[in-house]
Amino acid sequence: MQWSCSAGLVVALVGTAGCVGAKYKAMLEAAQSELSPAAIAQDDLHKVHIHEAMVAEQGLSSLTLSINVFMERAYLVGHVDNREQGEAVLKTARHVQGIRSVEGYLPVTAPSADGNTMSDKTSDVSLKAQVISALAIEPKVVKSRVHVEVLDGHVVLLGVVSGEPERHHAETAAAGVEGVKAVTNWLLLPEKGYMTIRKKIR
């Protein structure tokens, strides 16, 4: 199984030991987030449990999925082989104790137009970098609070932002990037009990 050092988790890796600086990255994320450190730690634990559940489920362990959890709400992004497998992914995540809700952007793998899946993945990586750059120059968005996933030109925004205006500006900035086909905005507003009490800066 493979573990990703990014905000998501990848189902298909070799363990957790390879994430250089993961501890310090988590500390930095806590300092920049609207969420309390305790909430972030709990969400990270839920990610681990979802990952373990996917690995244990026959037919799901080979999938490459980004798994994100914010305020005990799980978000899964990645290709699946068929619709039934997508339903199995969501069902497995919903059975993890402590998860309040589960959302998934899980398109069925379609053949590439030119047969070059590597080219498609490269395009998504490039587009993701452009969306992150667009968020970085948008003055009304704190980019450190927005996690970006891109699948076949479809952008998924995840994270916890300060309010509805920031949520809207993030979606507008992402949608304005050339090559973006659609945007799914799963940015959350902080809930009482999950927020840090200190004021955040950009």
Side-chain angles (χ1 to χ4, degrees):
M1 296 307 299
Q2 187 173 7
W3 190 275
S4 170
C5 293
S6 67
L9 198 82
V10 176
V11 178
L13 188 171
V14 202
T16 60
C19 293
V20 178
K23 175 182 175 183
Y24 299 103
K25 182 177 183 295
M27 291 169 62
L28 177 63
E29 287 175 352
Q32 295 174 327
S33 173
E34 288 291 317
L35 296 180
S36 71
I40 292 173
Q42 186 62 46
D43 285 345
D44 285 343
L45 188 58
H46 285 316
K47 280 193 244 183
V48 172
H49 291 160
I50 293 173
H51 171 79
E52 291 172 344
M54 295 294 171
V55 171
E57 191 68 28
Q58 188 173 3
L60 302 183
S61 62
S62 63
L63 290 175
T64 299
L65 300 174
S66 169
I67 301 174
N68 294 271
V69 181
F70 303 96
M71 297 189 300
E72 300 176 345
R73 301 179 186 278
Y75 300 90
L76 297 90
V77 179
H79 285 110
V80 292
D81 295 332
N82 50 60
R83 193 170 290 183
E84 291 74 22
Q85 191 178 53
E87 287 300 322
V89 166
L90 298 177
K91 183 179 179 181
T92 300
R94 288 184 183 120
H95 283 157
V96 173
Q97 189 173 5
I99 295 295
R100 300 164 65 193
S101 65
V102 177
E103 298 282 355
Y105 179 66
L106 303 165
V108 175
T109 303
S112 174
D114 59 1
N116 189 348
T117 56
M118 186 60 71
S119 174
D120 291 345
K121 289 179 181 177
T122 302
S123 296
D124 283 345
V125 169
S126 174
L127 194 57
K128 179 175 179 177
Q130 293 175 58
V131 171
I132 291 172
S133 295
L135 293 170
I137 62 175
E138 168 52 62
K140 295 180 180 176
V141 174
V142 180
K143 74 178 182 71
S144 62
R145 292 199 290 245
V146 181
H147 178 70
V148 178
E149 294 291 343
V150 179
L151 219 55
D152 305 327
H154 186 116
V155 174
V156 181
L157 301 178
L158 301 151
V160 181
V161 293
S162 59
E164 194 58 50
E166 186 178 7
R167 186 177 186 275
H168 171 74
H169 286 298
E171 180 174 346
T172 301
V177 175
E178 186 177 355
V180 170
K181 297 176 182 176
V183 177
T184 295
N185 189 345
W186 279 331
L187 292 170
L188 298 170
L189 306 185
E191 298 176 12
K192 187 176 180 182
Y194 293 88
M195 295 172 59
T196 133
I197 57 173
R198 59 187 182 280
K199 182 102 173 155
K200 295 303 167 196
I201 58 172
R202 185 174 176 82

